[in-house]
Amino acid sequence: MDRHTVLPVASAGYGAQDIELEALPLRGVYVLTRLSDRHASPDTALLHRIGMEGHFTHGISLVSHHQGHVRGLHCQIEPAPQGRLMQCEHGVVWCVVVDVRTGSPTFGQWVAETLSAENGRWLWIPPGFLHGSCTLGDRTAVRYHCTTPPQREYERAVRWNDEALGIGWPVADTQAVLSRQDLSAAPFFSVIDWFAYA
């Protein structure tokens, strides 16, 4: 499945932030691009305008030393749903987002975006979506800003290459590097009423 076309720019230039905002085809998912000072975080006031509730309470940094390292597909469900703002601090990472909101007209559909330290893009993933990623080079560093701390009892994982989703990963099944958790992830049909579509 090819990468979905990004919708036209929805907004730009909030205050002095000089940020370009793009709405992706899955409602609520956005790409933010800093046109200057690309390493500074977007202001939470802007994120609230596009649907973020609350504030960031936790940060997670992950470093992968190998190309083809796959993570996902993950989410955190009620009563501790987690929104994530993702950036690539070093290297290049391909990110995929899957709609798992029951009743959503795009349930089971996916979009993908490439983030790098050079392109200055951030990916906003609200609760209600699975998220996965694949490193496109060695020594890739990724950082997540989360609205809820990780809570293992509410974490869920779906098989990254489930045929029902048809995700066009940039790595072959035989070449993907996976964690033990992702190797034993559940099939997509296990997603039942994890989130409601509002």
Side-chain angles (χ1 to χ4, degrees), residues 153-174:
E153 63 267 38
Y154 304 120
E155 292 177 357
R156 298 292 183 271
V158 169
R159 190 175 302 144
W160 71 286
N161 59 350
D162 194 299
E163 292 183 358
L165 295 173
I167 296 173
W169 290 89
V171 62
D173 290 10
T174 55

Side-chain angles (χ1 to χ4, degrees), residues 23-39:
L24 298 188
L26 300 183
R27 180 183 169 192
V29 180
Y30 289 87
V31 171
L32 301 91
T33 305
R34 271 198 172 280
L35 305 179
S36 59
D37 192 14
R38 294 190 171 185
H39 296 290

Side-chain angles (χ1 to χ4, degrees), residues 69-134:
H69 185 183
V70 170
R71 293 192 76 255
L73 302 159
H74 300 157
C75 70
Q76 191 163 289
I77 64 171
E78 297 283 357
Q82 188 181 74
R84 295 179 172 185
L85 181 66
M86 180 179 177
Q87 69 175 129
C88 183
E89 297 179 318
H90 188 276
V92 186
V93 64
W94 185 88
C95 304
V96 62
V97 182
V98 182
D99 189 349
V100 288
R101 300 168 296 177
T102 300
S104 169
T106 54
F107 180 85
Q109 295 182 26
W110 61 274
V111 293
E113 185 70 27
T114 299
L115 308 180
S116 71
E118 286 72 32
N119 66 23
R121 293 176 184 162
W122 300 66
L123 181 62
W124 166 243
I125 309 161
F129 297 85
L130 295 168
H131 168 249
S133 63
C134 177

